[in-house]
Amino acid sequence: MSVILSGNEIKKQILVELKDEVDHLIEKNIKPSLSVILAGGDPASEIYVSSKIRTCQEIGIQSVARKLPQSVSQQELLEVVGELNRDPSVHGILCQVPLPEQCQEEEVLEAIDPLKDVDCFHPFNVGLLATGNPRFMPCTPYGILQILKRSGILTKGKNVVVLGRSNIVGRPLSILISQKGWDATVTLCHSKTENIEEVCSRADILIAAIGISKFIKREHVKKDAVIIDVGMNRIIDPTHPKGKRLTGDVDFEAVKDKVSAITPVPGGVGPMTIAMLMLNTINAARISNDLPLFQL
Amino acid sequence: MSVILSGNEIKKQILVELKDEVDHLIEKNIKPSLSVILAGGDPASEIYVSSKIRTCQEIGIQSVARKLPQSVSQQELLEVVGELNRDPSVHGILCQVPLPEQCQEEEVLEAIDPLKDVDCFHPFNVGLLATGNPRFMPCTPYGILQILKRSGILTKGKNVVVLGRSNIVGRPLSILISQKGWDATVTLCHSKTENIEEVCSRADILIAAIGISKFIKREHVKKDAVIIDVGMNRIIDPTHPKGKRLTGDVDFEAVKDKVSAITPVPGGVGPMTIAMLMLNTINAARISNDLPLFQL
């Protein structure tokens, strides 16, 4: 029987540790704070932002959602970023994507002060990460590393196959997990990879982040492999009360008794992302007070 | 019989193209210029710097070596960087490493204006590269890609194994060659990799950058693979007139009749690095004049 790696449970542990650290900072008169910019009314974005704000409240981080209309101009958006950059009481800033179509995401993300960039999307922070000297951690990749670490799954010398080369998950994760300390041998696969089934079937740890529902079947996985499923695919399902449901990139039912451990969807990687955002916000507050980074 | 991939020949072709571009810029009254900071008297560094300056002269790039004493302080070094940053007639700046031991490399490299960072070592430029939006190209990795491209070796969908995770070669190359356009499936190996022989023997293209003389033997390579040898190891050889000679990370004699193509050492990857430095200097001049990047 394989182990189900519960992101929900690990998130709870981590939030206890982070709340403790927030309490320590508050004792020193440092009140960590996060500002979330939400431009437009995308329903999924509204849910994500509410969830981030709620988690901040749970552990004592001050948080503000700055809601801007769907019609916001690039210039207005950049002015809000500039204002938050200059406000010393704001430690972390994130701008929820996607932006309205008249706005240029790249320019907005680069406008955020790298010392407040809690999503770790600014090129300067990505560069620090890539050169092995990270300040903030990319939230989903580092959440995955915490699942592995806290489940006693060693990565050193292991064959890790990462499926998907996005700038949010696959790319930064493939960099991080092959660095000193994690020391995995990483193969990064993507839409142009040939014989992807064969490559996957050699993985000791398989991390799927390609956004294709149930792409990974039983024949893709090695016996006793560890499977991390980053997929969040909404598929139509008339038998479900809401008419649709969330699935991963892995065919969970088909592989679960072949592998040694697997993350479920939902309740696996998803919850970890917000926990790591909290870590980064705490570290933004520490950086602005010349304190060393808090490590998990 | 395998093809010997001559970096010397490819460098010559590229320098002709780059000289042409320099001539175009000079017609527009733009004189590309490179400043090289050399702190201390390391003999290998002096040779590298002379070679860079000589190549600049060959194609019409203005170049200046700023020699600083071995005893230079961090503060003095940063002041020179600041002065070159502010000088609009200086387009490219590089600081030859290693620095004297009292200096901190990381701080110096981060002090160089990212718009003049022709080595592509600044975290901001590494981040742009990692997110698929490069400005400058890392010289040795991009030199390797030019060897492949100009020799008609396709990378799309190929299994590429990179040996070595340094910030100068292995890491940026593994990122670049797995990005859109190059589209290789990349496995990054390092000192902690298990069964490295087996991993290497699956490579369609094997790129060795670990700094161990003749590490790659005949049994490590697949028949008809392409081998790129980044090694520059100085080994003692009493039979050689100088008492030592340069060897690669690959046992050239042992593998040459098994593979389809291979770079020699010397004369393979080495010459390409300087050619790419020239490209970056031209692009630094173009950037400072609001011109789009020149592409090879």
Side-chain angles (χ1 to χ4, degrees), chain B:
Chain B
M1 192 56 204
S2 64
V3 175
I4 307 300
L5 302 168
S6 168
N8 284 327
E9 288 306 312
I10 296 170
K11 176 188 176 185
K12 271 186 209 160
Q13 290 168 15
I14 290 176
L15 289 184
V16 169
E17 296 166 35
L18 294 180
K19 182 172 190 325
D20 209 42
E21 171 57 18
V22 171
D23 290 345
H24 284 133
L25 289 173
I26 290 171
E27 277 170 27
K28 295 181 190 174
N29 268 322
I30 299 167
K31 177 92 182 161
S33 85
L34 175 67
S35 286
V36 181
I37 301 170
L38 175 59
D42 178 63
S45 291
E46 293 212 354
I47 292 170
Y48 291 141
V49 170
S50 306
S51 174
K52 289 167 185 177
I53 299 284
R54 202 167 49 240
T55 310
C56 282
Q57 287 165 347
E58 260 178 68
I59 65 167
I61 291 177
Q62 197 170 323
S63 60
V64 184
R66 285 289 294 258
K67 295 197 181 184
L68 303 172
Q70 184 72 34
S71 61
V72 65
S73 72
Q74 177 77 355
Q75 192 49 42
E76 289 163 332
L77 191 47
L78 290 174
E79 277 164 22
V80 171
V81 170
E83 183 198 312
L84 296 173
N85 281 345
R86 288 186 299 273
D87 184 344
S89 76
V90 172
H91 299 126
I93 303 170
L94 79 81
C95 185
Q96 188 69 38
V97 290
L99 298 178
E101 59 177 10
Q102 72 276 13
C103 298
Q104 289 82 49
E105 187 178 313
E106 203 172 275
E107 190 187 17
V108 173
L109 298 181
E110 285 187 25
I112 293 174
D113 181 343
L115 295 172
K116 299 188 175 189
D117 167 41
V118 287
D119 262 339
C120 194
F121 287 163
H122 191 287
F124 189 89
N125 288 324
V126 176
L128 288 179
L129 175 83
T131 53
N133 188 25
R135 178 158 56 196
F136 297 116
M137 303 306 282
C139 296
T140 304
Y142 200 56
I144 292 168
L145 292 179
Q146 288 295 319
I147 291 179
L148 295 172
K149 181 180 170 186
R150 287 167 185 254
S151 306
I153 297 163
L154 300 178
T155 53
K156 184 173 171 176
K158 293 288 191 302
N159 284 322
V160 171
V161 172
V162 177
L163 283 184
R165 56 182 163 175
S166 76
N167 284 335
I168 298 182
V169 184
R171 174 70 61 195
L173 178 60
S174 71
I175 293 172
L176 268 176
I177 200 169
S178 61
Q179 280 175 343
K180 282 182 185 163
W182 299 97
D183 290 315
T185 301
V186 178
T187 303
L188 181 60
C189 295
H190 46 76
S191 56
K192 302 296 186 296
T193 295
E194 292 169 6
N195 305 320
I196 199 162
E197 191 175 304
E198 190 195 324
V199 179
C200 290
S201 67
R202 282 197 298 263
D204 301 314
I205 302 174
L206 178 62
I207 301 168
I210 43 170
I212 303 176
S213 179
K214 301 188 182 181
F215 178 84
I216 296 294
K217 314 281 186 205
R218 191 173 172 88
E219 60 269 27
H220 287 88
V221 304
K222 185 164 86 168
K223 190 171 178 335
D224 294 330
V226 172
I227 311 293
I228 304 289
D229 188 350
V230 191
M232 296 268 274
N233 310 294
R234 280 176 181 78
I235 61 164
I236 291 169
D237 180 356
T239 70
H240 198 273
K242 288 185 181 166
K244 57 187 178 180
R245 63 189 169 86
L246 204 61
T247 70
D249 291 348
V250 179
D251 188 342
F252 185 90
E253 289 303 323
V255 311
K256 69 175 183 196
D257 64 345
K258 188 175 180 185
V259 300
S260 65
I262 183 168
T263 59
V265 175
V269 173
M272 297 301 294
T273 302
I274 286 187
M276 296 305 110
L277 177 65
M278 299 300 115
L279 170 69
N280 284 341
T281 304
I282 288 169
N283 276 328
R286 292 183 64 90
I287 289 168
S288 88
N289 287 279
D290 292 322
L291 296 170
L293 294 176
F294 179 75
Q295 313 273 359
L296 280 179

Side-chain angles (χ1 to χ4, degrees), chain A residues 84-144:
Chain A
L84 296 173
N85 281 344
R86 288 186 298 275
D87 184 343
S89 76
V90 172
H91 299 125
I93 304 170
L94 77 82
C95 186
Q96 188 69 40
V97 290
L99 298 178
E101 60 177 9
Q102 71 277 12
C103 298
Q104 290 82 49
E105 187 177 312
E106 204 171 275
E107 189 187 17
V108 173
L109 298 181
E110 285 187 25
I112 293 173
D113 182 343
L115 295 173
K116 299 187 174 189
D117 167 42
V118 287
D119 262 339
C120 195
F121 287 164
H122 191 288
F124 189 89
N125 288 324
V126 176
L128 288 179
L129 176 83
T131 53
N133 189 25
R135 178 158 57 195
F136 297 116
M137 303 305 283
C139 297
T140 304
Y142 200 56
I144 291 168

Side-chain angles (χ1 to χ4, degrees), chain A residues 208-229:
Chain A
I210 41 170
I212 303 176
S213 179
K214 301 188 183 182
F215 178 83
I216 296 295
K217 315 281 188 206
R218 192 174 172 88
E219 60 269 27
H220 287 87
V221 304
K222 186 162 86 168
K223 190 168 177 335
D224 294 331
V226 172
I227 311 293
I228 304 289
D229 188 349

